[in-house]
Amino acid sequence: MADAVTPAGRVIGLDRAPAMVAEAAARLAGRPQVEVRSADVHELPFEDGSVDRARTDRVLQHVDDPARVLAEFRRVARPGARIVMAEPDWEGMLVDSPRPDVGRTLARFISTEMIRHGTLGRSLPRLCEGAGLTVRSVATVAPVFRDLATADQVLGLRRNLARAVGAGYLEPGAEEWFDDLRCRPFLASALLFLVTAEAA
């Protein structure tokens, strides 16, 4: 993004965690047009109508109030400003297995218990319109994982399986499902919505 702005332009990154702000600032120390600030996305530290572009990637699923964040995007956006968002729909997580019921239950557990807004991807266009933004495009991406270790790192299969058992979503012993995945060709996928909106 820094490469895309004019020499007079600025890119401002926000995070509410001081450690993340410090890490990002250190990584971008050689980029004078980039600024990293500590802020809450529910109360953006910008004047009304002062932002040309905004981008979020898998952030809104975790915030307290996605609709309020989108209203903030609308407030700070200049007319014609573009806002690009990527959010998953965790019910769209698929894992090939001889026991598909375990994968379905795990996806339901993640989308209802582990992620604050686990089905936000499908709701994002509606929420954008409700915030006064015009949705220009909606696309889906479904990355395919053929490596169990990578899928486990990205999707949290093993740790969330144990949590689902502990929460009573799955019977004790369901952890064997993960061990079985190691013994056969592996395939998993997840659904990600990409939404582009504009301010009028």
Side-chain angles (χ1 to χ4, degrees):
M1 294 177 72
D3 292 337
V5 300
T6 65
R10 288 189 305 155
V11 176
I12 302 172
L14 303 177
D15 200 294
R16 67 179 184 178
M20 297 302 290
V21 171
E23 177 66 21
R27 291 185 184 188
L28 296 164
R31 296 278 198 159
Q33 72 273 47
V34 178
E35 178 184 352
V36 184
R37 297 185 189 176
S38 179
D40 185 339
V41 72
H42 295 87
E43 299 177 9
L44 295 172
F46 306 119
E47 298 292 328
D48 294 1
S50 63
V51 174
D52 294 307
R53 298 284 187 270
R55 176 181 178 269
T56 66
D57 186 350
R58 294 164 293 172
V59 171
L60 301 180
Q61 64 180 324
H62 300 297
V63 302
D64 291 335
D65 187 348
R68 181 176 165 194
V69 174
L70 292 170
E72 275 292 275
F73 285 170
R74 175 65 188 89
R75 178 186 68 78
V76 303
R78 290 180 177 146
R82 180 166 294 178
I83 301 151
V84 179
M85 297 150 281
E87 293 295 335
D89 191 313
W90 283 95
E91 286 186 358
M93 185 184 81
L94 305 171
V95 180
D96 179 48
S97 163
R99 294 191 57 193
D101 59 307
V102 175
R104 285 193 296 267
T105 301
L106 180 60
R108 183 166 53 88
F109 172 74
I110 293 172
S111 66
T112 59
E113 301 293 337
M114 295 307 301
I115 304 296
R116 186 172 290 175
H117 306 287
T119 59
L120 181 65
R122 75 182 78 166
S123 305
L124 198 49
R126 172 176 51 82
L127 294 173
C128 284
E129 296 282 356
L133 298 167
T134 301
V135 175
R136 295 299 183 196
S137 67
V138 179
T140 57
V141 177
V144 174
F145 302 93
R146 299 297 309 277
D147 175 67
L148 176 58
T150 302
D152 188 29
Q153 181 179 19
V154 174
L155 304 174
L157 297 176
R158 181 166 37 187
R159 71 174 180 270
N160 285 317
L161 185 67
R163 291 168 175 163
V165 170
Y169 272 70
L170 290 165
E171 294 295 324
E175 295 93 342
E176 295 173 4
W177 176 81
F178 185 85
D179 296 330
D180 183 68
L181 296 176
R182 302 176 192 269
C183 303
R184 60 189 72 250
F186 178 78
L187 186 143
S189 184
L191 186 61
L192 187 73
F193 282 83
L194 306 175
V195 177
T196 301
E198 287 185 357

